[in-house]
Structures are given as C-alpha cells and as structure tokens.
Amino acid sequence: MIDKINELIGRVQAFKPKAAAEIEEFRIRILGKKGELNALLEEFKTVAPELKRELGQKINELKTLAMQRVNELKAAAAESSAVSGPVSDDLTRPGTNEPIGSRHPISLVRNQIVEIFSRLGYTVADGPEIEDDWHVFSALNFPPEHPARDMQDTFFIDKNPDILLRTHTSSIQVRTMEHQKPPIRVVCPGRVFRNEAISYRAHCIFHQVEGLYVDENVSFADLKQSILYFAKEMFGEQAQIRMRPSYFPFTEPSAEVDVSCNLCGGKGCNVCKGTGWLEIMGCGMVDPNVLEANGIDSKKYTGFAFGMGVERIAMLKYGVKDLRLYFENDIRFLNQFDSVL
Ligand code: PHE
C-alpha cells in the first residue's frame, strides 16, 4: 500500500494541466467521492494496526499535497485567463472584429486641401511650431506696433529675443523663400496658436493651410482662378466665390474670399446668416517688401498667397456648428467620419 501512496504523491507532484478544465478533472479523480484518495482510505481500514500510524500519516500528507496543488493550479489558471481572455478550443470559430479607427475630420479636410492644390503643382512645406519674431512677423512686413504681436494674441515663450508659438503658417512660407529661388509653389499645413477665448467659433489652437506662389508674371487673375478651382473641388461644381477688399501686412492688394453657402445654395439661411456667402480664407498679392526681405527680386517676380483655417472649411463642408467638437475626442462625433476617405 505504501508504494501506491508514493506513486500517487509522485503523480500529484508531476501533474501539469494543458488546459484549465483538466485541473477540475484531476481534482475529481484524486479527491472526489469516488476518487483515488477515498479508495485508499477504504483500503486503510483493512491494514494491520501496527502499520496504521505510518500509513495514516502518509495518506494525510498525500491529501494536503493534492489539495494544495489543485488550489495553486486553479489560481494560476484564473490569473492567466484574466490576461488572455477565455480560451476556446474551437480554432474554426470566427474571430471577433476589432473596430478600426477613423481619421480625424481635421486630418481628412487638411489632406483634401493639400491634394487639391497638389493637382495645381503645389508641394507641401513644413516648419516648426515654436518660432521667432522674424519668421512670424518681421519678414512678413508686420509693423513693430502691429496688434498681432501683442501679448493678447500671441503666446510668447520668451522675450528678447522673441520666441513664440506661431500664429499662422505664413512662417513656413518665409522659411521656404529663404532657401528656394522662384518659381515657388508650396502649401503649408500646420497647427497654429492664438491667445483667444475658446468658444463655438474660436479656439486657441487650430489648423491652417496656407499657400504661396511666386514666379514671373503671377497675377491677381491667377489667384482668383486658383481659388475658384479650389472652391469647386472642395464644395462642389456649383460653388461660386467672391472677393472682398481686405488688409494683411504681407499682401497688397489683399482680399477676403467668400464661397456661396453650400447649405442653402446662396438663398440665405441661418448658417450664412441670410447672406448666401461664407467666409473661407484671406489672400492677396505678396507685398514687394516681403519678397525683398526674403531675398527675392520684386521687380522680376510677383506672387500671391492665401491662407485658410482647416476647422472652418471642415465646419462648412460637414455642417459642424461647434468648433470645440474637433478637440473633445467624443467617439460619437468622430465615428461619423468613418466612411470618408
Ligand atoms: N496669414 C493669414 C492669417 O493667418 C492668412 C493669409 C495668408 C492672408 C496669406 C493673406 C495671405 O489669417
């Protein structure tokens, strides 16, 4: 009998389950009512009294060991299944679908803008978000007292020399002119920062795509046609544009561009405030001072520039009424752009 007990102890020690279910089977086989331990206890009743002491101890040892082993194995299995999930033996079962994320509407619209201009021969230029006064203001003909330089609008990181968060991506145009001779045809997408109160129509962080075209004989008519082409590609063939005189330090003449309201078709609605027009961007002919400040001969070359807010274009295109939605990462908002490429 002692051999039987020892053999069983050996088996308990060596037991390694391949699946969690085997542990319970093992417990029933050894410790269950009709299990091997009870069979031994039955047999124990019949052994000679002088052997009872030694065998009894051995059987107790076996019982404690088997219980300990089962508990240990069960705890380990519970832990590993908590990490890897329930184990299925059916390898033919169809897998569960992992939801695929969608692109953010701002990325979608930025990509569309860049893509439309790339068809007109524009390439993408990039630049830093932390800039100096020269690239954001001085090289763009901002007079020293211009309010945009003020602490009200600009987030300054350091004064003297001025280090700041760029307030527009025109700074990339300056950087492009620094190391490229005309013809220049670039679009500059990027994140910009302005010290503004956050509301449904303004945010202190937003995105722009600006463009610059410098070559011989570039005219305002070229600018107008390029913007009209863009508007039709972005908002549909029926889109019309109009230009209103405006002012920017770096362009002369300057204009504000409106596109016909794509919600009411120009009849007037609450989105266009009854006017039939929506403002989409600023633009103008590059001021000769800007060309000269960047080492380009303004007698030989002319150019135009334009700049638009990506959030604004996306709001108009998709009828989004509150700009803050773009920053809240609410999955119910973002999922609506699942099918847009
Ligand atoms: N930089 C201007 C802005 O941020 C936009 C603009 C770009 C206007 C180019 C004219 C020409 O508002």
Side-chain angles (χ1 to χ4, degrees):
M1 185 167 177
I2 188 91
D3 290 343
K4 257 196 207 163
I5 300 172
N6 280 337
E7 185 265 340
L8 197 45
I9 288 178
R11 258 197 290 144
V12 170
Q13 281 167 336
F15 175 63
K16 278 209 184 67
K18 287 191 200 72
E22 284 181 22
I23 305 170
E24 182 60 11
E25 279 168 23
F26 175 76
R27 189 191 67 78
I28 294 170
R29 192 156 15 93
I30 311 288
L31 298 168
K33 237 186 182 158
K34 293 184 182 152
E36 296 190 46
L37 185 74
N38 275 350
L40 281 174
L41 287 172
E42 247 348 276
E43 199 178 328
F44 180 70
K45 287 181 189 157
T46 64
V47 298
E50 66 273 20
L51 293 176
K52 276 211 154 123
R53 195 183 154 83
E54 191 199 348
L55 284 176
Q57 270 174 4
K58 212 62 189 161
I59 289 175
N60 268 339
E61 193 185 312
L62 166 67
K63 190 176 172 186
T64 324
L65 181 80
M67 281 183 347
Q68 250 176 20
R69 186 93 187 110
V70 167
N71 287 343
E72 263 169 33
L73 290 170
K74 280 196 170 166
E79 205 166 280
S80 74
S81 75
V83 176
S84 61
V87 179
S88 162
D89 290 338
D90 181 2
L91 298 179
T92 63
R93 230 171 81 180
T96 46
N97 281 342
E98 285 301 321
I100 309 172
S102 54
R103 277 196 202 288
H104 194 280
I106 295 304
S107 305
L108 291 169
V109 172
R110 182 208 47 213
N111 292 350
Q112 275 175 30
I113 300 170
V114 167
E115 201 269 325
I116 292 169
F117 282 103
S118 77
R119 280 183 247 149
L120 295 174
Y122 287 76
T123 53
V124 173
D126 201 3
E129 291 177 352
I130 299 175
E131 269 290 7
D132 50 24
D133 177 275
W134 172 258
H135 291 95
V136 177
F137 299 127
S138 295
L140 289 161
N141 200 34
F142 275 80
E145 71 284 1
H146 194 284
R149 291 169 179 253
D150 207 307
M151 296 293 273
Q152 302 283 299
D153 284 312
T154 308
F155 288 113
F156 285 93
I157 294 173
D158 223 336
K159 276 274 186 193
N160 248 341
D162 280 346
I163 303 294
L164 45 96
L165 296 177
R166 65 181 178 200
T167 56
H168 53 184
T169 58
S170 305
S171 54
I172 306 176
Q173 305 175 11
V174 175
R175 289 190 177 273
T176 307
M177 286 187 273
E178 269 171 4
H179 58 253
Q180 200 182 319
K181 292 278 145 275
I184 294 172
R185 216 182 303 191
V186 286
V187 275
C188 315
R191 199 154 51 149
V192 298
F193 308 84
R194 287 184 198 176
N195 196 353
E196 291 193 32
I198 297 171
S199 73
Y200 74 98
R201 58 196 297 263
H203 208 286
C204 53
I205 302 175
F206 59 100
H207 300 79
Q208 284 190 324
V209 177
E210 296 216 353
L212 174 71
Y213 179 24
V214 183
D215 202 352
E216 289 177 44
N217 301 320
V218 176
S219 71
F220 203 96
D222 297 328
L223 168 62
K224 221 168 149 183
Q225 281 309 311
S226 307
I227 302 299
L228 180 63
Y229 174 76
F230 165 75
K232 286 184 180 296
E233 291 297 303
M234 181 54 85
F235 296 106
E237 191 48 42
Q238 75 298 337
Q240 308 267 317
I241 58 163
R242 73 174 184 186
M243 287 177 158
R244 285 176 287 111
S246 185
Y247 172 77
F248 297 103
F250 34 91
T251 48
E252 183 59 38
S254 306
E256 212 90 59
V257 181
D258 295 341
V259 66
S260 52
C261 178
N262 58 332
L263 290 175
C264 64
K267 284 193 218 61
C269 65
N270 63 349
V271 174
C272 60
K273 301 206 176 71
T275 63
W277 296 96
L278 298 158
E279 187 187 316
I280 52 166
M281 68 172 95
C283 66
M285 300 306 290
V286 182
D287 194 304
N289 285 345
V290 174
L291 295 175
E292 294 294 337
N294 292 290
I296 293 174
D297 182 354
S298 66
K299 293 202 182 57
K300 189 168 178 206
Y301 296 105
T302 51
F304 65 69
F306 55 86
M308 65 192 105
V310 181
E311 280 79 1
R312 175 144 186 91
I313 303 283
M315 282 171 97
L316 301 180
K317 194 171 164 87
Y318 296 118
V320 177
K321 297 223 167 63
D322 192 330
L323 190 133
R324 287 169 292 201
L325 284 166
Y326 293 126
F327 301 92
E328 283 167 0
N329 282 337
D330 186 330
I331 206 88
R332 291 166 301 179
F333 173 67
L334 298 176
N335 276 346
Q336 296 174 58
F337 299 89
D338 257 359
S339 54
V340 187
L341 290 173

